Amino acid sequence: MNTKRKKLYEGKAKILYEGPEPGTLIQYFKDDATAFNAQKKATLEGKGVINNRISEFIMSRLNGIGVTNHFIKRLNLREQLIREVEIIPLEVVCRNIVAGSLATRLGQEEGTPLPRSIIEFYYKKDELNDPMVTEEHITAFNWATTQELDDILAMTVRVNDYLCGMFGAVGITLVDFKIEFGRVWENDFARVILADEISPDSCRLWDSTTGEKLDKDRFRRDLGDVIESYTEVARRLGIMKDMPTVIQGGLH
């Protein structure tokens, strides 16, 4: 990694650097793991490498079915070249099965299938613990327009349909996931595209036969074998051939 590059932003799991050309950024995947709004922290060697590769795999395929996103290409083990976007300050959560905060907030049993997918919005604000908001809040505070929300909902449904099929084909159940969106400007016109990442950090993934968790809940709930589980997701998706030594460590 070139340490002389200009760092623009550092989040809990990624760093954004100035890109080689206007309108581009370099997204660096860290090994840092956080939970409960960063109250729980750890470094998991190899996590950034695996998430970089899984997110590349998924974003490339979503681009292929017309879900435009910020991914351009993977540069190395930990970095991607991405399009610069104006991030919309929302976390969009799509739920297929009751789990996590939905279970605790509404007193529902984890693992209960939902009759239809539920899409929720959360305001991206760490100091407020990312509160859940409605479409009325979003438009009232100008975080997104009604048309942008329509586009976000339509893309989220497409992403969910595609990921359910992709993971289901390799014996993984997509319980829920979190995605983010950003605006790209073309003259005076702003278009919404998918941004951030899609990886076991941002999805709940359960083995379809055993129910074993293969995602960040292994870290949140002290279940152990976090990297092994992320690696198993990559293996089932057929992308481990590009990173055969991740699980042994030593990749930086």
Side-chain angles (χ1 to χ4, degrees), residues 8 22 32 52-54 63 97 112 116 123 136 139 155 177 180 186 201-203 207 210 225:
L8 302 177
D32 295 358
N52 181 23
R53 188 65 183 88
I54 291 175
N63 260 326
I97 294 171
T112 304
R116 63 178 180 82
Y123 179 40
E136 286 79 6
T139 54
M155 281 190 278
F177 62 92
E180 297 182 23
E186 295 157 356
D201 266 10
S202 60
C203 302
D207 181 277
T210 66
D225 294 335

PDB file of all heavy atoms in Angstrom, residues 8 22 32 52-54 63 97 112 116 123 136 139 155 177 180 186 201-203 207 210 225:
ATOM      1  N   LEU A   8      -8.841  10.068   2.525  1.00  0.00           N
ATOM      2  CA  LEU A   8     -10.009  10.935   2.551  1.00  0.00           C
ATOM      3  C   LEU A   8     -10.963  10.603   3.684  1.00  0.00           C
ATOM      4  O   LEU A   8     -11.648  11.482   4.210  1.00  0.00           O
ATOM      5  CB  LEU A   8     -10.756  10.843   1.213  1.00  0.00           C
ATOM      6  CG  LEU A   8      -9.952  11.206  -0.039  1.00  0.00           C
ATOM      7  CD1 LEU A   8     -10.801  10.995  -1.275  1.00  0.00           C
ATOM      8  CD2 LEU A   8      -9.458  12.646   0.037  1.00  0.00           C
ATOM      9  N   PRO A  22      -9.802  11.674 -11.587  1.00  0.00           N
ATOM     10  CA  PRO A  22     -10.965  12.362 -11.023  1.00  0.00           C
ATOM     11  C   PRO A  22     -12.201  11.460 -11.073  1.00  0.00           C
ATOM     12  O   PRO A  22     -12.428  10.747 -12.054  1.00  0.00           O
ATOM     13  CB  PRO A  22     -11.131  13.579 -11.930  1.00  0.00           C
ATOM     14  CG  PRO A  22      -9.770  13.823 -12.502  1.00  0.00           C
ATOM     15  CD  PRO A  22      -9.155  12.466 -12.668  1.00  0.00           C
ATOM     16  N   ASP A  32      -9.911  -4.869  10.792  1.00  0.00           N
ATOM     17  CA  ASP A  32     -10.614  -4.493  12.018  1.00  0.00           C
ATOM     18  C   ASP A  32     -12.040  -5.036  12.002  1.00  0.00           C
ATOM     19  O   ASP A  32     -12.738  -4.958  10.984  1.00  0.00           O
ATOM     20  CB  ASP A  32     -10.662  -2.973  12.178  1.00  0.00           C
ATOM     21  CG  ASP A  32      -9.276  -2.360  12.373  1.00  0.00           C
ATOM     22  OD1 ASP A  32      -8.304  -3.133  12.419  1.00  0.00           O
ATOM     23  OD2 ASP A  32      -9.183  -1.131  12.478  1.00  0.00           O
ATOM     24  N   ASN A  52     -12.758  -8.159   0.607  1.00  0.00           N
ATOM     25  CA  ASN A  52     -12.445  -7.513  -0.660  1.00  0.00           C
ATOM     26  C   ASN A  52     -12.823  -8.425  -1.826  1.00  0.00           C
ATOM     27  O   ASN A  52     -13.490  -8.012  -2.780  1.00  0.00           O
ATOM     28  CB  ASN A  52     -10.949  -7.169  -0.700  1.00  0.00           C
ATOM     29  CG  ASN A  52     -10.518  -6.478  -1.980  1.00  0.00           C
ATOM     30  OD1 ASN A  52     -11.315  -5.865  -2.679  1.00  0.00           O
ATOM     31  ND2 ASN A  52      -9.235  -6.579  -2.294  1.00  0.00           N
ATOM     32  N   ARG A  53     -12.437  -9.673  -1.720  1.00  0.00           N
ATOM     33  CA  ARG A  53     -12.666 -10.625  -2.814  1.00  0.00           C
ATOM     34  C   ARG A  53     -14.150 -10.979  -2.958  1.00  0.00           C
ATOM     35  O   ARG A  53     -14.680 -11.047  -4.071  1.00  0.00           O
ATOM     36  CB  ARG A  53     -11.831 -11.883  -2.575  1.00  0.00           C
ATOM     37  CG  ARG A  53     -11.825 -12.851  -3.731  1.00  0.00           C
ATOM     38  CD  ARG A  53     -11.144 -12.254  -4.964  1.00  0.00           C
ATOM     39  NE  ARG A  53     -11.216 -13.173  -6.091  1.00  0.00           N
ATOM     40  CZ  ARG A  53     -12.225 -13.206  -6.956  1.00  0.00           C
ATOM     41  NH1 ARG A  53     -13.244 -12.384  -6.830  1.00  0.00           N
ATOM     42  NH2 ARG A  53     -12.220 -14.062  -7.955  1.00  0.00           N
ATOM     43  N   ILE A  54     -14.831 -11.200  -1.826  1.00  0.00           N
ATOM     44  CA  ILE A  54     -16.254 -11.538  -1.888  1.00  0.00           C
ATOM     45  C   ILE A  54     -17.053 -10.364  -2.431  1.00  0.00           C
ATOM     46  O   ILE A  54     -17.943 -10.527  -3.282  1.00  0.00           O
ATOM     47  CB  ILE A  54     -16.781 -11.971  -0.497  1.00  0.00           C
ATOM     48  CG1 ILE A  54     -16.171 -13.322  -0.091  1.00  0.00           C
ATOM     49  CG2 ILE A  54     -18.310 -12.062  -0.504  1.00  0.00           C
ATOM     50  CD1 ILE A  54     -16.535 -13.771   1.306  1.00  0.00           C
ATOM     51  N   ASN A  63     -23.432  -5.796 -11.288  1.00  0.00           N
ATOM     52  CA  ASN A  63     -23.250  -4.947 -12.467  1.00  0.00           C
ATOM     53  C   ASN A  63     -23.723  -5.668 -13.721  1.00  0.00           C
ATOM     54  O   ASN A  63     -24.331  -5.075 -14.615  1.00  0.00           O
ATOM     55  CB  ASN A  63     -21.768  -4.561 -12.626  1.00  0.00           C
ATOM     56  CG  ASN A  63     -21.475  -3.156 -12.111  1.00  0.00           C
ATOM     57  OD1 ASN A  63     -22.292  -2.268 -12.200  1.00  0.00           O
ATOM     58  ND2 ASN A  63     -20.285  -2.976 -11.563  1.00  0.00           N
ATOM     59  N   ILE A  97     -35.663 -13.306   7.033  1.00  0.00           N
ATOM     60  CA  ILE A  97     -35.905 -14.164   8.195  1.00  0.00           C
ATOM     61  C   ILE A  97     -35.678 -13.314   9.442  1.00  0.00           C
ATOM     62  O   ILE A  97     -34.800 -12.444   9.461  1.00  0.00           O
ATOM     63  CB  ILE A  97     -34.936 -15.372   8.180  1.00  0.00           C
ATOM     64  CG1 ILE A  97     -35.243 -16.294   6.981  1.00  0.00           C
ATOM     65  CG2 ILE A  97     -35.000 -16.169   9.482  1.00  0.00           C
ATOM     66  CD1 ILE A  97     -34.208 -17.381   6.752  1.00  0.00           C
ATOM     67  N   THR A 112     -37.480 -17.227  12.408  1.00  0.00           N
ATOM     68  CA  THR A 112     -38.827 -17.289  11.843  1.00  0.00           C
ATOM     69  C   THR A 112     -38.834 -16.702  10.427  1.00  0.00           C
ATOM     70  O   THR A 112     -38.479 -15.531  10.247  1.00  0.00           O
ATOM     71  CB  THR A 112     -39.827 -16.504  12.717  1.00  0.00           C
ATOM     72  OG1 THR A 112     -39.774 -17.001  14.058  1.00  0.00           O
ATOM     73  CG2 THR A 112     -41.238 -16.618  12.169  1.00  0.00           C
ATOM     74  N   ARG A 116     -42.999 -12.087   3.635  1.00  0.00           N
ATOM     75  CA  ARG A 116     -42.400 -11.347   2.520  1.00  0.00           C
ATOM     76  C   ARG A 116     -41.220 -10.554   3.076  1.00  0.00           C
ATOM     77  O   ARG A 116     -41.140 -10.291   4.279  1.00  0.00           O
ATOM     78  CB  ARG A 116     -43.405 -10.413   1.857  1.00  0.00           C
ATOM     79  CG  ARG A 116     -43.943  -9.322   2.764  1.00  0.00           C
ATOM     80  CD  ARG A 116     -44.895  -8.402   2.019  1.00  0.00           C
ATOM     81  NE  ARG A 116     -45.415  -7.346   2.887  1.00  0.00           N
ATOM     82  CZ  ARG A 116     -44.766  -6.221   3.180  1.00  0.00           C
ATOM     83  NH1 ARG A 116     -43.546  -6.010   2.674  1.00  0.00           N
ATOM     84  NH2 ARG A 116     -45.299  -5.310   3.975  1.00  0.00           N
ATOM     85  N   TYR A 123     -30.830   5.788   9.762  1.00  0.00           N
ATOM     86  CA  TYR A 123     -30.064   7.012   9.527  1.00  0.00           C
ATOM     87  C   TYR A 123     -28.614   6.776   9.940  1.00  0.00           C
ATOM     88  O   TYR A 123     -28.344   6.406  11.079  1.00  0.00           O
ATOM     89  CB  TYR A 123     -30.684   8.154  10.339  1.00  0.00           C
ATOM     90  CG  TYR A 123     -29.981   9.484  10.230  1.00  0.00           C
ATOM     91  CD1 TYR A 123     -29.464   9.950   9.020  1.00  0.00           C
ATOM     92  CD2 TYR A 123     -29.848  10.302  11.352  1.00  0.00           C
ATOM     93  CE1 TYR A 123     -28.837  11.181   8.933  1.00  0.00           C
ATOM     94  CE2 TYR A 123     -29.220  11.542  11.275  1.00  0.00           C
ATOM     95  CZ  TYR A 123     -28.719  11.973  10.072  1.00  0.00           C
ATOM     96  OH  TYR A 123     -28.087  13.183   9.990  1.00  0.00           O
ATOM     97  N   GLU A 136     -40.989   9.062   5.492  1.00  0.00           N
ATOM     98  CA  GLU A 136     -41.377  10.443   5.789  1.00  0.00           C
ATOM     99  C   GLU A 136     -40.214  11.219   6.402  1.00  0.00           C
ATOM    100  O   GLU A 136     -39.975  12.382   6.063  1.00  0.00           O
ATOM    101  CB  GLU A 136     -42.585  10.466   6.731  1.00  0.00           C
ATOM    102  CG  GLU A 136     -43.903  10.095   6.075  1.00  0.00           C
ATOM    103  CD  GLU A 136     -44.078   8.593   5.904  1.00  0.00           C
ATOM    104  OE1 GLU A 136     -43.225   7.832   6.388  1.00  0.00           O
ATOM    105  OE2 GLU A 136     -45.086   8.196   5.279  1.00  0.00           O
ATOM    106  N   THR A 139     -37.548  12.003   3.520  1.00  0.00           N
ATOM    107  CA  THR A 139     -37.881  13.094   2.605  1.00  0.00           C
ATOM    108  C   THR A 139     -37.988  14.428   3.354  1.00  0.00           C
ATOM    109  O   THR A 139     -37.625  15.476   2.818  1.00  0.00           O
ATOM    110  CB  THR A 139     -39.190  12.800   1.848  1.00  0.00           C
ATOM    111  OG1 THR A 139     -40.232  12.495   2.801  1.00  0.00           O
ATOM    112  CG2 THR A 139     -39.010  11.614   0.913  1.00  0.00           C
ATOM    113  N   MET A 155     -33.917  -1.285  -6.450  1.00  0.00           N
ATOM    114  CA  MET A 155     -32.603  -1.937  -6.517  1.00  0.00           C
ATOM    115  C   MET A 155     -32.407  -2.919  -5.374  1.00  0.00           C
ATOM    116  O   MET A 155     -31.825  -3.992  -5.556  1.00  0.00           O
ATOM    117  CB  MET A 155     -31.493  -0.883  -6.515  1.00  0.00           C
ATOM    118  CG  MET A 155     -31.274  -0.225  -7.861  1.00  0.00           C
ATOM    119  SD  MET A 155     -29.779   0.794  -7.924  1.00  0.00           S
ATOM    120  CE  MET A 155     -30.381   2.298  -7.192  1.00  0.00           C
ATOM    121  N   PHE A 177     -29.482  -8.471   5.001  1.00  0.00           N
ATOM    122  CA  PHE A 177     -28.259  -7.783   4.584  1.00  0.00           C
ATOM    123  C   PHE A 177     -28.466  -6.280   4.677  1.00  0.00           C
ATOM    124  O   PHE A 177     -29.601  -5.780   4.688  1.00  0.00           O
ATOM    125  CB  PHE A 177     -27.838  -8.177   3.164  1.00  0.00           C
ATOM    126  CG  PHE A 177     -28.828  -7.837   2.084  1.00  0.00           C
ATOM    127  CD1 PHE A 177     -28.758  -6.624   1.398  1.00  0.00           C
ATOM    128  CD2 PHE A 177     -29.834  -8.723   1.745  1.00  0.00           C
ATOM    129  CE1 PHE A 177     -29.674  -6.314   0.404  1.00  0.00           C
ATOM    130  CE2 PHE A 177     -30.764  -8.422   0.751  1.00  0.00           C
ATOM    131  CZ  PHE A 177     -30.673  -7.212   0.074  1.00  0.00           C
ATOM    132  N   GLU A 180     -25.735   0.202   1.110  1.00  0.00           N
ATOM    133  CA  GLU A 180     -25.759   1.662   1.073  1.00  0.00           C
ATOM    134  C   GLU A 180     -25.756   2.121  -0.379  1.00  0.00           C
ATOM    135  O   GLU A 180     -25.360   1.378  -1.284  1.00  0.00           O
ATOM    136  CB  GLU A 180     -24.559   2.233   1.832  1.00  0.00           C
ATOM    137  CG  GLU A 180     -24.568   1.868   3.310  1.00  0.00           C
ATOM    138  CD  GLU A 180     -23.416   2.474   4.092  1.00  0.00           C
ATOM    139  OE1 GLU A 180     -22.853   3.497   3.644  1.00  0.00           O
ATOM    140  OE2 GLU A 180     -23.069   1.910   5.146  1.00  0.00           O
ATOM    141  N   GLU A 186     -24.205  13.540 -13.259  1.00  0.00           N
ATOM    142  CA  GLU A 186     -23.945  13.666 -14.690  1.00  0.00           C
ATOM    143  C   GLU A 186     -24.567  14.983 -15.128  1.00  0.00           C
ATOM    144  O   GLU A 186     -25.781  15.075 -15.275  1.00  0.00           O
ATOM    145  CB  GLU A 186     -24.535  12.466 -15.434  1.00  0.00           C
ATOM    146  CG  GLU A 186     -23.847  11.156 -15.062  1.00  0.00           C
ATOM    147  CD  GLU A 186     -24.707   9.930 -15.315  1.00  0.00           C
ATOM    148  OE1 GLU A 186     -25.882  10.100 -15.710  1.00  0.00           O
ATOM    149  OE2 GLU A 186     -24.209   8.815 -15.099  1.00  0.00           O
ATOM    150  N   ASP A 201     -19.540  -9.342   6.440  1.00  0.00           N
ATOM    151  CA  ASP A 201     -19.656  -8.257   7.416  1.00  0.00           C
ATOM    152  C   ASP A 201     -21.025  -7.594   7.353  1.00  0.00           C
ATOM    153  O   ASP A 201     -21.510  -7.064   8.354  1.00  0.00           O
ATOM    154  CB  ASP A 201     -18.595  -7.176   7.153  1.00  0.00           C
ATOM    155  CG  ASP A 201     -17.324  -7.380   7.970  1.00  0.00           C
ATOM    156  OD1 ASP A 201     -17.175  -8.457   8.590  1.00  0.00           O
ATOM    157  OD2 ASP A 201     -16.481  -6.476   7.978  1.00  0.00           O
ATOM    158  N   SER A 202     -21.642  -7.605   6.170  1.00  0.00           N
ATOM    159  CA  SER A 202     -22.879  -6.852   5.979  1.00  0.00           C
ATOM    160  C   SER A 202     -24.091  -7.738   5.686  1.00  0.00           C
ATOM    161  O   SER A 202     -25.183  -7.221   5.434  1.00  0.00           O
ATOM    162  CB  SER A 202     -22.708  -5.843   4.833  1.00  0.00           C
ATOM    163  OG  SER A 202     -22.386  -6.504   3.623  1.00  0.00           O
ATOM    164  N   CYS A 203     -23.901  -9.057   5.718  1.00  0.00           N
ATOM    165  CA  CYS A 203     -25.005 -10.007   5.481  1.00  0.00           C
ATOM    166  C   CYS A 203     -25.077 -10.992   6.637  1.00  0.00           C
ATOM    167  O   CYS A 203     -24.057 -11.328   7.243  1.00  0.00           O
ATOM    168  CB  CYS A 203     -24.774 -10.823   4.212  1.00  0.00           C
ATOM    169  SG  CYS A 203     -24.565  -9.891   2.695  1.00  0.00           S
ATOM    170  N   ASP A 207     -25.838 -21.564   7.123  1.00  0.00           N
ATOM    171  CA  ASP A 207     -25.803 -22.813   6.372  1.00  0.00           C
ATOM    172  C   ASP A 207     -27.235 -23.333   6.245  1.00  0.00           C
ATOM    173  O   ASP A 207     -27.964 -23.449   7.236  1.00  0.00           O
ATOM    174  CB  ASP A 207     -24.925 -23.842   7.098  1.00  0.00           C
ATOM    175  CG  ASP A 207     -24.834 -25.146   6.332  1.00  0.00           C
ATOM    176  OD1 ASP A 207     -25.755 -25.988   6.473  1.00  0.00           O
ATOM    177  OD2 ASP A 207     -23.864 -25.337   5.584  1.00  0.00           O
ATOM    178  N   THR A 210     -27.590 -26.888   8.327  1.00  0.00           N
ATOM    179  CA  THR A 210     -27.333 -26.930   9.771  1.00  0.00           C
ATOM    180  C   THR A 210     -27.758 -25.670  10.513  1.00  0.00           C
ATOM    181  O   THR A 210     -27.896 -25.678  11.739  1.00  0.00           O
ATOM    182  CB  THR A 210     -25.833 -27.136  10.028  1.00  0.00           C
ATOM    183  OG1 THR A 210     -25.114 -25.971   9.573  1.00  0.00           O
ATOM    184  CG2 THR A 210     -25.315 -28.365   9.293  1.00  0.00           C
ATOM    185  N   ASP A 225     -14.162 -18.874  15.270  1.00  0.00           N
ATOM    186  CA  ASP A 225     -13.998 -19.319  13.876  1.00  0.00           C
ATOM    187  C   ASP A 225     -14.554 -18.299  12.869  1.00  0.00           C
ATOM    188  O   ASP A 225     -15.181 -18.659  11.869  1.00  0.00           O
ATOM    189  CB  ASP A 225     -14.691 -20.673  13.645  1.00  0.00           C
ATOM    190  CG  ASP A 225     -14.043 -21.794  14.430  1.00  0.00           C
ATOM    191  OD1 ASP A 225     -12.847 -21.681  14.750  1.00  0.00           O
ATOM    192  OD2 ASP A 225     -14.735 -22.783  14.734  1.00  0.00           O
TER     193      ASP A 225
END
